[in-house]
Amino acid sequence: MLKGPIRIKKVREQAVIPTYGTEYSAGADIYSCIPEPIHLAPGKTVLIPTGIAMEIPTGYVGLVYARSSLAVKRGLAPANKVSVIDSDYRGELMVPILNHSDTEQVIEPAERIAQMIFTPYYMACFEETDTLENTNRGAGGFGSTGKF
């Protein structure tokens, strides 16, 4: 496990700085920064402000995922499944939350709405070619693995 600083700027006074639930949590909890509860109808999406901006180190990306308890117990998860926060983005972190359930859900102020994992990434230099190296799988698509 790597550890290092991530500079956080509160862009709203009532913002909550991300926290880790346990010593070995991979994802840092991200909190809503809303003045009052938001009622979210089934099948609807709302963009939730977090009140924070951050300085992710070059060579890293922040990936925003659902919190297991919200997704399983209440049907709430990021609408885009995983948000990619690039290291050069300095605006407020916003999380689009979709209500997958069949009942209205309420998002409370300062509620943990998602989790963020910071990870290094590889930036490709694309090279056009007429051939690709052969593999056992080849062009086998969905459901093709494990059939060799």
Side-chain angles (χ1 to χ4, degrees), residues 62-120:
L63 300 174
V64 180
Y65 294 96
R67 290 191 67 248
S68 302
S69 59
L70 282 186
V72 173
K73 295 177 182 176
R74 296 175 48 202
L76 297 174
N80 54 343
K81 307 308 177 211
V82 178
S83 293
V84 175
I85 313 300
D86 296 311
S87 63
D88 59 350
Y89 177 66
R90 294 295 186 268
E92 180 178 8
L93 178 61
M94 306 287 279
V95 182
I97 297 292
L98 171 61
N99 181 356
H100 293 275
S101 80
D102 57 4
T103 59
E104 180 180 89
Q105 297 294 321
V106 178
I107 298 171
E108 299 288 343
E111 181 173 356
R112 295 175 298 164
I113 56 169
Q115 61 181 323
M116 180 179 262
I117 295 175
F118 300 95
T119 187

Side-chain angles (χ1 to χ4, degrees), residues 24-74:
Y24 297 108
S25 294
D29 290 328
I30 303 295
Y31 295 80
S32 67
C33 187
I34 51 179
E36 58 191 32
I38 293 176
H39 295 262
L40 187 55
K44 298 297 180 185
T45 298
V46 64
L47 198 57
I48 306 290
T50 65
I52 60 169
M54 59 181 63
E55 190 175 301
I56 298 172
T58 301
Y60 286 80
V61 61
L63 300 174
V64 180
Y65 294 96
R67 290 191 67 248
S68 302
S69 59
L70 282 186
V72 173
K73 295 177 182 176
R74 296 175 48 202

